[in-house]
Every structure is written in structure tokens, then in C-alpha cells.
């Protein structure tokens, strides 16, 4: 499915979020607390925008790996920059050594993991003690009026936009994947269970976006 939608993915993100997704990625990258010279991993990197934010923070002496299992997505990421190491990889079975990275991030990817606990544990495993794990995701707002707007936006508008973009199925899958994803509290607990301490989260965009973060114990 991700190979299929790769060509429209960036445009759809900008249309669906009125361009706000760039700001959310910046905030997620800030929460990775990287310094020049650091080494960071963005899993389920897709077309690579979050990895590029990490790249800006580690400077020329740093290193960023963007990994995904969709070659269609990775091809587009490769066209954006040669300064990130774009690699095929399964987020549930990362090929990197334990404690290798200073931080690992995932943007709008965790809800697609077929085993969320395993994906989070893998991210925590490859980050050194004291390093950071950040998860940027869409979440379901609980209170009106945002909850009402969200239902209309996600259940009606997004699938309609998907039909226009030529892939109704993928953009019907999107709201259903968000609905079955754990809420902020539960995701926080799962991050703690994956081996992170000082877990916290920021809700933004009226409670539609959650950015979870924690430190590897
Ligand atoms: C909605 S896109 C998000 C892309 C990008 N991170 C962003 O911020 O826009 C989800 C991505 O997760 C990838 N993905 C889902 N499950 C994965 C897994 N188990 N291993 C690697 N990539 C995965 C898909 O191929 C897709 O590129």
C-alpha cells in the first residue's frame, strides 16, 4: 500500500494538514535532543521529512539513518537528500546493534506496526542508555468540538481526498488505523514497558497530534 501511495504522499500530507505537518516534525525532532555529531535513526521514515529534520540537528559530523520497508517511499526520500543514509529495514526487526544510536524517532509510522510493542522495544534497544525515543502520531481527540470536527475530517473528507488522489482504500485505511491505535495514556504505558523512563507527551493541533518522548533507561 505504501509503495502505491508514495507518489501522492507528500502532497496529501500538506493538503490534509494545511501544511502543519512540517511544524509537528520539527517539534518531534527537537524532542530527540540531538547535538552536533550525534547519530540518529528515523524508522518507518517514508519520504524522509522527519529524518531530514534530524539531519539539520546533528550537523556535518553527525549521522542520520532513515529506514523503511517501502522502496517506493525510500526512492522519494533519496531524491530529497544524499546526506541521510536511506536504508530498507523492518521496524520490527532492526538490523542495528544495541545501544548504537543517540536517538530514534518514528513519525506517523507506529500505528502501522503490526506489533506495536515490538516496534517500540526495537527502537529502545538500538538507542544507548540516556538517549531518546520519540513517537509522533495522530491521536483521536475526546472532547467536542474537536472530536466532531475530527470525525468529519477523517471519516468523510480524508477518504474523499483519497478518491481524488486515486487511492480510496489507502485513505480509508488511514482513519481506521488511527482509531485502533492506543490513546496517549496507553501509548505512554507501552513506551515505559519498552524500557523508557521519564515518558511524557505533548498534545498539539487541538489534541489531534500526540508527540511522545522518553529516555532509554
Ligand atoms: C504514514 S507513513 C509515514 C512516513 C514518514 N515517517 C512521515 O513522517 O511522513 C508510514 C510509513 O511506515 C512504513 N512502515 C510501516 N510499517 C513498517 C515496518 N514494520 N517497517 C518499516 N517501515 C514500516 C511504511 O512503509 C510507510 O512509509
Amino acid at each position: 500500500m505504501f509503495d502505491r501511495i508514495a507518489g501522492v504522499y507528500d502532497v496529501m500530507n500538506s493538503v490534509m494538514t494545511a501544511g502543519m505537518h512540517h511544524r509537528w516534525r520539527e517539534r518531534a525532532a527537537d524532542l530527540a535532543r540531538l547535538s552536533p555529531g550525534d547519530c540518529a535513526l528515523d524508522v518507518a521514515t517514508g519520504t524522509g521529512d522527519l529524518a531530514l529534520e534530524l539531519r539539520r540537528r546533528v550537523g556535518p559530523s553527525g549521522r542520520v539513518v532513515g529506514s523503511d520497508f517501502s522502496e517506493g517511499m525510500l526512492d522519494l526520500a533519496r531524491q530529497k537528500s544524499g546526506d541521510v543514509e536511506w536504508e530498507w529495514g523492518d521496524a520490527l526487526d532492526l538490523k542495528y546493534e544495541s545501544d548504537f544510536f543517540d536517538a530514534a524517532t518514528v513519525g506517523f509510522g507506529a500505528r502501522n506496526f503490526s506489533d506495536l510493542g515490538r516496534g517500540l522495544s526495537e527502537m529502545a534497544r538500538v538507542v544507548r542508555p540516556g538517549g531518546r525515543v520519540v513517537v509522533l502520531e495522530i491521536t483521536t481527540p475526546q472532547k467536542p468540538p474537536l472530536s466532531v470536527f475530527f470525525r468529519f475530517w477523517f471519516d468523510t473528507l480524508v477518504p474523499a481526498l483519497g478518491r481524488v488522489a486515486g487511492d480510496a482504500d489507502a485513505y480509508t485505511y488511514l482513519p481506521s488505523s488511527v482509531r485502533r491505535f492506543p490513546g496517549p495514556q496507553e501509548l505512554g504505558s507501552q513506551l515505559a514497558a519498552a524500557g523508557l523512563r521519564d515518558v511524557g507527551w505533548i498534545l498539539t493541533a487541538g489534541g489531534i497530534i500526540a508527540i511522545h518522548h522518553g529516555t532509554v533507561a
Side-chain angles (χ1 to χ4, degrees), residues 39-58:
C39 180
L41 171 69
D42 183 42
V43 303
T45 195
T47 57
D49 285 353
L50 181 50
L52 292 172
E53 282 302 328
L54 302 177
R55 178 70 252 179
R56 283 180 200 112
R57 285 153 181 80
V58 299

Side-chain angles (χ1 to χ4, degrees), residues 2 9 13 25 42-50 67-70 73 89-92 106-109 111-114 136:
F2 287 107
Y9 182 75
N13 271 351
R25 287 201 181 83
D42 183 42
V43 303
T45 195
T47 57
D49 285 353
L50 181 50
S67 136
D68 200 287
F69 67 11
S70 160
M73 289 284 202
D90 182 355
L92 305 188
V106 59
F108 308 115
R111 68 170 186 278
N112 303 296
F113 293 168
S114 55
L136 165 65

Side-chain angles (χ1 to χ4, degrees), residues 24 26 57:
W24 303 335
E26 283 169 16
R57 285 153 181 80

Side-chain angles (χ1 to χ4, degrees), residues 10-31:
D10 283 348
V11 174
M12 280 294 279
N13 271 351
S14 290
V15 172
M16 287 188 306
T17 69
M20 288 187 293
H21 63 108
H22 296 296
R23 180 73 196 117
W24 303 335
R25 287 201 181 83
E26 283 169 16
R27 291 187 78 178
D30 286 344
L31 286 163

